[in-house]
Amino acid sequence: MPSLHGKWSLVTGASRGVGAHLSTALAQLGSNVVLHSRRLDHTRDLAARLAQTGVKVVTVAGELSDQRAVDDLLDAALEQAGAIDIVYNNAAIMTPYRENTWEVTAEDFRTSFEVNVISLARICYRLMPPMLSRRWGRVVNLTSGIKEQPELCAYSISKAAVDKFVRDFVPKLAGTGVQMNLLDPGWLRTDLGGPRAPNDPATCLPGALVPALLDDGISGRFFCAQDYAGLTIEAALTKAGRR
Ligand SMILES: NC(=O)c1ccc[n+]([C@@H]2O[C@H](COP(=O)([O-])OP(=O)(O)OC[C@H]3O[C@@H](n4cnc5c(N)ncnc54)[C@H](OP(=O)(O)O)[C@@H]3O)[C@@H](O)[C@H]2O)c1
């Protein structure tokens, strides 16, 4: 079983859905965790459960459409954890489904970019330079396989921007010990994915852990968590290594 003992992981949007599964899995691998959501009480029960596994757990809160709140939550995370080794930029919003495809609003674009792109970049800008100094870090940015749904384009275009952000960093990260990759968890029955989604949220594991555990120096990969559903972590890592 791989170990993340002694590392600190920050998971944004840890209170439910993918983030709660991920945080639990990271703690089970020995990582201390910083759990983020919009309100501290959203992660209180999860924090208590994870603390029972013996890892250190910190909770931080912040609305990701507010860049000052992003700075404040990062201050709080760093003050309590000291340093962050692994970041899952998992929190995101999906804008309303616009039946009239010609009427996706400017506000839809603005809010999805604030939460899904600008805050994600701000978190990377703050946490990645120290990772580069320490010559170790893993950044996993949640993206989506969504396509051909112009009714949701404010959301899907924000995820395309995340993909571009990650891929443009590839040359900068080569040989640094810091890896930044993309993760599509699959269409899951979470609050964001909705009840019609084909997959249970738990099926994001173990695939969601793969980009944090691989040590191949490669950035810019697009991991589909569903490719690894039903495998052990070891088998998932072997499959990811084979590519
Ligand atoms: N579910 C799917 O089918 C699917 C498919 C492809 C990609 N994804 C991606 O996977 C990631 C996780 O999705 P999910 O389905 O687990 O979502 P979810 O169940 O809706 O959970 C969203 C999480 O993000 C936090 N959050 C929401 N809006 C926020 C805001 N404005 N500021 C700060 N935090 C906010 C929530 O915290 P609170 O408790 O405070 O609300 C919650 O912890 C997202 O990046 C999503 O785009 C999901």
Side-chain angles (χ1 to χ4, degrees), residues 50-102:
L50 299 193
Q52 284 173 1
T53 66
V55 300
K56 295 178 195 147
V57 184
V58 162
T59 58
V60 297
E63 164 58 58
L64 295 184
S65 62
D66 174 353
Q67 298 308 308
R68 192 173 299 169
V70 175
D71 291 343
D72 290 347
L73 81 86
L74 289 169
D75 287 344
L78 288 167
E79 193 180 308
Q80 296 175 82
I84 302 293
D85 306 293
I86 299 167
V87 181
Y88 275 89
N89 276 309
N90 166 73
I93 52 164
M94 186 157 72
T95 44
Y97 187 92
R98 300 293 182 194
E99 293 288 352
N100 182 344
T101 49
W102 311 108

Coordinates of all heavy atoms in Angstrom, one line a residue, residues 50-102:
L50 N -12.1 11.7 10.3 CA -10.8 11.5 9.8 C -9.7 11.6 10.9 O -8.7 10.9 10.9 CB -10.5 12.6 8.7 CG -11.4 12.5 7.5 CD1 -10.8 13.3 6.3 CD2 -11.6 11.1 7.0
A51 N -10.0 12.4 11.9 CA -9.0 12.6 13.0 C -8.9 11.2 13.7 O -7.8 10.9 14.3 CB -9.4 13.6 14.0
Q52 N -9.9 10.4 13.7 CA -9.9 9.1 14.4 C -8.9 8.1 13.7 O -8.5 7.1 14.3 CB -11.3 8.5 14.4 CG -12.2 9.1 15.4 CD -13.6 8.6 15.3 OE1 -13.9 7.7 14.5 NE2 -14.4 9.1 16.2
T53 N -8.5 8.4 12.4 CA -7.5 7.6 11.7 C -6.1 7.9 12.2 O -5.2 7.2 11.7 CB -7.6 7.7 10.2 OG1 -7.2 9.0 9.8 CG2 -9.1 7.5 9.7
G54 N -5.9 8.9 13.0 CA -4.6 9.3 13.5 C -3.9 10.4 12.8 O -2.8 10.8 13.2
V55 N -4.5 10.9 11.7 CA -3.8 12.0 11.0 C -4.3 13.3 11.6 O -5.3 13.4 12.3 CB -4.1 12.0 9.5 CG1 -3.7 10.7 8.8 CG2 -5.6 12.2 9.2
K56 N -3.5 14.4 11.3 CA -3.9 15.7 11.7 C -4.9 16.3 10.7 O -4.7 16.1 9.5 CB -2.7 16.7 11.8 CG -1.7 16.2 12.8 CD -0.5 17.2 12.8 CE 0.7 16.6 13.6 NZ 2.0 16.9 13.1
V57 N -5.9 16.9 11.2 CA -7.0 17.5 10.4 C -7.2 18.9 10.7 O -7.4 19.3 11.9 CB -8.3 16.7 10.5 CG1 -9.3 17.2 9.5 CG2 -8.1 15.2 10.3
V58 N -7.3 19.8 9.7 CA -7.6 21.2 9.9 C -8.7 21.5 9.0 O -8.8 21.0 7.9 CB -6.3 22.0 9.4 CG1 -6.6 23.4 9.2 CG2 -5.2 21.8 10.5
T59 N -9.6 22.4 9.4 CA -10.7 22.8 8.5 C -10.6 24.3 8.3 O -10.2 25.1 9.1 CB -12.1 22.6 9.2 OG1 -12.2 23.2 10.4 CG2 -12.3 21.1 9.4
V60 N -10.8 24.7 7.0 CA -10.8 26.1 6.6 C -12.0 26.4 5.8 O -12.6 25.5 5.2 CB -9.5 26.5 5.8 CG1 -8.3 26.3 6.6 CG2 -9.4 25.7 4.5
A61 N -12.4 27.7 5.8 CA -13.6 28.0 5.0 C -13.4 29.2 4.1 O -12.5 30.1 4.4 CB -14.8 28.4 6.0
G62 N -14.1 29.2 3.0 CA -13.9 30.4 2.1 C -14.8 30.3 0.9 O -14.8 29.2 0.2
E63 N -15.4 31.3 0.5 CA -16.2 31.4 -0.7 C -15.3 31.7 -1.9 O -14.6 32.7 -1.9 CB -17.3 32.5 -0.6 CG -17.9 33.0 -1.9 CD -18.6 31.9 -2.6 OE1 -19.5 31.2 -2.0 OE2 -18.3 31.7 -3.8
L64 N -15.2 30.8 -2.9 CA -14.2 30.9 -3.9 C -14.5 31.9 -5.0 O -13.7 32.1 -5.9 CB -13.9 29.5 -4.5 CG -13.3 28.4 -3.6 CD1 -13.0 27.1 -4.4 CD2 -12.1 28.9 -2.9
S65 N -15.7 32.5 -4.9 CA -15.9 33.6 -5.9 C -15.4 34.9 -5.3 O -15.4 36.0 -6.0 CB -17.4 33.8 -6.2 OG -18.1 34.1 -5.0
D66 N -14.8 34.9 -4.1 CA -14.3 36.1 -3.5 C -12.8 35.9 -3.3 O -12.4 35.1 -2.4 CB -15.0 36.2 -2.1 CG -14.5 37.3 -1.2 OD1 -13.4 37.9 -1.6 OD2 -15.1 37.6 -0.2
Q67 N -12.0 36.6 -4.1 CA -10.5 36.4 -4.0 C -9.9 36.7 -2.7 O -8.9 36.1 -2.3 CB -9.9 37.1 -5.2 CG -10.3 36.7 -6.6 CD -10.3 35.2 -6.8 OE1 -9.2 34.6 -6.5 NE2 -11.4 34.6 -7.2
R68 N -10.5 37.6 -2.0 CA -10.0 37.9 -0.6 C -10.2 36.7 0.3 O -9.3 36.4 1.1 CB -10.6 39.2 0.0 CG -9.9 39.6 1.2 CD -10.4 41.0 1.7 NE -10.2 42.0 0.7 CZ -10.8 43.2 0.8 NH1 -11.5 43.5 1.9 NH2 -10.6 44.2 -0.1
A69 N -11.3 36.1 0.1 CA -11.6 34.9 1.0 C -10.7 33.8 0.6 O -10.3 33.0 1.5 CB -13.1 34.4 0.7
V70 N -10.3 33.7 -0.7 CA -9.3 32.7 -1.1 C -8.0 32.9 -0.3 O -7.3 32.0 0.2 CB -9.1 32.7 -2.6 CG1 -8.0 31.7 -3.0 CG2 -10.4 32.4 -3.3
D71 N -7.5 34.2 -0.3 CA -6.3 34.5 0.4 C -6.4 34.2 1.9 O -5.4 33.6 2.5 CB -6.0 36.0 0.2 CG -5.6 36.4 -1.2 OD1 -5.2 35.4 -2.0 OD2 -5.6 37.6 -1.5
D72 N -7.5 34.5 2.4 CA -7.7 34.2 3.9 C -7.7 32.7 4.2 O -7.1 32.3 5.2 CB -9.0 34.8 4.4 CG -9.0 36.3 4.4 OD1 -7.9 36.9 4.3 OD2 -10.1 36.9 4.5
L73 N -8.3 31.9 3.3 CA -8.3 30.5 3.6 C -6.9 29.9 3.4 O -6.6 29.0 4.2 CB -9.4 29.7 2.8 CG -9.1 29.4 1.3 CD1 -8.4 28.0 1.2 CD2 -10.4 29.3 0.5
L74 N -6.2 30.4 2.5 CA -4.8 29.9 2.3 C -3.9 30.3 3.5 O -3.1 29.5 4.0 CB -4.2 30.5 1.0 CG -4.8 29.9 -0.3 CD1 -4.4 30.7 -1.5 CD2 -4.4 28.4 -0.4
D75 N -4.1 31.6 4.0 CA -3.4 32.0 5.2 C -3.7 31.0 6.3 O -2.8 30.6 7.0 CB -3.9 33.4 5.6 CG -3.3 34.5 4.8 OD1 -2.4 34.2 4.0 OD2 -3.9 35.6 4.8
A76 N -5.0 30.7 6.5 CA -5.4 29.8 7.6 C -4.8 28.4 7.4 O -4.4 27.8 8.4 CB -6.9 29.8 7.7
A77 N -4.8 27.9 6.2 CA -4.3 26.6 5.9 C -2.8 26.5 6.2 O -2.3 25.6 6.9 CB -4.6 26.2 4.5
L78 N -2.1 27.5 5.7 CA -0.6 27.5 5.9 C -0.2 27.7 7.4 O 0.7 27.1 7.8 CB 0.0 28.6 5.0 CG 0.0 28.2 3.5 CD1 0.4 29.4 2.6 CD2 0.9 27.0 3.2
E79 N -1.0 28.6 8.0 CA -0.7 28.8 9.5 C -0.8 27.5 10.3 O 0.0 27.3 11.1 CB -1.6 29.9 10.0 CG -1.2 30.5 11.3 CD -2.2 31.5 11.8 OE1 -2.5 32.4 11.0 OE2 -2.7 31.4 12.9
Q80 N -1.8 26.8 9.9 CA -2.1 25.6 10.8 C -1.3 24.3 10.3 O -0.9 23.5 11.1 CB -3.6 25.2 10.8 CG -4.4 26.4 11.5 CD -5.9 26.1 11.4 OE1 -6.4 25.3 12.1 NE2 -6.5 26.7 10.4
A81 N -1.1 24.2 9.0 CA -0.4 23.0 8.4 C 1.1 23.3 8.3 O 1.9 22.3 8.3 CB -1.0 22.7 7.0
G82 N 1.5 24.5 8.1 CA 2.9 24.8 7.9 C 3.3 24.8 6.4 O 3.8 25.8 5.9
A83 N 3.0 23.7 5.8 CA 3.2 23.6 4.3 C 2.2 22.7 3.7 O 1.8 21.7 4.4 CB 4.7 23.1 4.1
I84 N 1.9 22.9 2.4 CA 1.0 22.0 1.7 C 1.8 21.3 0.6 O 2.5 21.9 -0.2 CB -0.2 22.8 1.1 CG1 -0.9 23.6 2.1 CG2 -1.1 21.9 0.3 CD1 -1.7 22.8 3.1
D85 N 1.7 20.0 0.6 CA 2.5 19.1 -0.3 C 1.6 18.7 -1.5 O 2.1 18.5 -2.6 CB 3.0 17.9 0.4 CG 3.8 18.2 1.6 OD1 4.9 18.8 1.4 OD2 3.3 17.9 2.7
I86 N 0.3 18.5 -1.2 CA -0.6 18.0 -2.2 C -1.9 18.9 -2.3 O -2.4 19.2 -1.2 CB -1.0 16.5 -1.9 CG1 0.2 15.6 -1.8 CG2 -2.1 16.0 -2.9 CD1 0.0 14.3 -1.2
V87 N -2.2 19.3 -3.4 CA -3.5 20.1 -3.5 C -4.4 19.5 -4.5 O -4.1 19.1 -5.6 CB -3.2 21.5 -4.1 CG1 -4.5 22.4 -4.2 CG2 -2.2 22.3 -3.3
Y88 N -5.6 19.3 -4.1 CA -6.7 18.9 -5.0 C -7.6 20.1 -5.1 O -8.4 20.5 -4.2 CB -7.5 17.7 -4.4 CG -6.9 16.4 -4.8 CD1 -6.0 15.8 -3.9 CD2 -7.3 15.7 -5.9 CE1 -5.4 14.5 -4.2 CE2 -6.8 14.4 -6.2 CZ -5.8 13.9 -5.4 OH -5.3 12.6 -5.7
N89 N -7.6 20.8 -6.3 CA -8.5 21.9 -6.6 C -9.8 21.2 -7.1 O -10.0 21.0 -8.3 CB -7.9 22.8 -7.6 CG -6.9 23.8 -7.0 OD1 -7.3 24.5 -6.0 ND2 -5.7 23.9 -7.5
N90 N -10.6 20.9 -6.1 CA -11.8 20.1 -6.4 C -13.1 20.9 -6.4 O -14.0 20.6 -7.2 CB -11.8 18.9 -5.3 CG -13.2 18.2 -5.3 OD1 -13.5 17.5 -6.2 ND2 -14.0 18.5 -4.3
A91 N -13.2 21.9 -5.6 CA -14.4 22.6 -5.5 C -14.7 23.3 -6.8 O -13.9 23.8 -7.5 CB -14.3 23.7 -4.4
A92 N -16.0 23.2 -7.2 CA -16.4 23.9 -8.4 C -17.9 24.1 -8.3 O -18.6 23.4 -7.6 CB -16.1 23.1 -9.7
I93 N -18.4 25.0 -9.2 CA -19.9 25.2 -9.3 C -20.2 24.9 -10.8 O -19.4 25.1 -11.7 CB -20.4 26.6 -9.0 CG1 -19.6 27.7 -9.7 CG2 -20.3 26.9 -7.5 CD1 -20.2 29.0 -9.8
M94 N -21.4 24.3 -10.9 CA -22.0 24.2 -12.3 C -23.1 25.2 -12.4 O -24.0 25.2 -11.6 CB -22.5 22.7 -12.5 CG -22.9 22.5 -14.0 SD -22.8 20.8 -14.5 CE -24.2 20.2 -13.6
T95 N -23.0 25.9 -13.5 CA -24.0 27.0 -13.7 C -25.3 26.3 -14.2 O -25.3 25.2 -14.6 CB -23.5 28.0 -14.8 OG1 -22.9 27.2 -15.8 CG2 -22.5 28.9 -14.2
P96 N -26.5 27.0 -14.1 CA -27.7 26.4 -14.4 C -27.8 26.0 -15.9 O -27.2 26.6 -16.7 CB -28.7 27.6 -14.2 CG -28.1 28.6 -13.3 CD -26.6 28.4 -13.6
Y97 N -28.6 24.9 -16.1 CA -28.8 24.4 -17.5 C -29.7 25.3 -18.2 O -30.9 25.5 -17.8 CB -29.4 23.0 -17.3 CG -29.5 22.2 -18.6 CD1 -28.5 21.4 -19.1 CD2 -30.7 22.4 -19.4 CE1 -28.6 20.7 -20.3 CE2 -30.8 21.7 -20.6 CZ -29.8 20.8 -21.0 OH -29.9 20.1 -22.2
R98 N -29.2 26.0 -19.2 CA -30.0 27.0 -19.9 C -30.7 26.3 -21.1 O -30.1 26.1 -22.1 CB -29.1 28.1 -20.4 CG -28.4 28.9 -19.3 CD -29.4 29.7 -18.4 NE -28.7 30.4 -17.4 CZ -29.2 30.9 -16.3 NH1 -30.5 30.8 -16.1 NH2 -28.5 31.6 -15.4
E99 N -32.0 26.0 -20.9 CA -32.8 25.4 -22.0 C -32.6 26.1 -23.3 O -32.5 25.5 -24.4 CB -34.3 25.3 -21.6 CG -34.6 24.4 -20.5 CD -34.5 22.9 -20.8 OE1 -34.3 22.6 -21.9 OE2 -34.5 22.1 -19.8
N100 N -32.6 27.4 -23.2 CA -32.4 28.2 -24.4 C -30.9 28.4 -24.5 O -30.3 29.2 -23.8 CB -33.1 29.6 -24.3 CG -32.9 30.4 -25.5 OD1 -32.0 30.2 -26.3 ND2 -33.7 31.5 -25.7
T101 N -30.3 27.7 -25.5 CA -28.8 27.7 -25.6 C -28.3 29.0 -25.9 O -27.1 29.3 -25.8 CB -28.4 26.7 -26.7 OG1 -29.1 27.0 -27.9 CG2 -28.5 25.3 -26.3
W102 N -29.1 29.9 -26.4 CA -28.7 31.3 -26.8 C -28.7 32.2 -25.7 O -28.4 33.4 -25.8 CB -29.5 31.8 -28.0 CG -29.6 30.8 -29.1 CD1 -30.7 30.1 -29.4 CD2 -28.6 30.3 -29.9 NE1 -30.5 29.1 -30.4 CE2 -29.2 29.3 -30.7 CE3 -27.2 30.6 -30.1 CZ2 -28.4 28.6 -31.7 CZ3 -26.5 29.9 -31.0 CH2 -27.1 28.9 -31.8

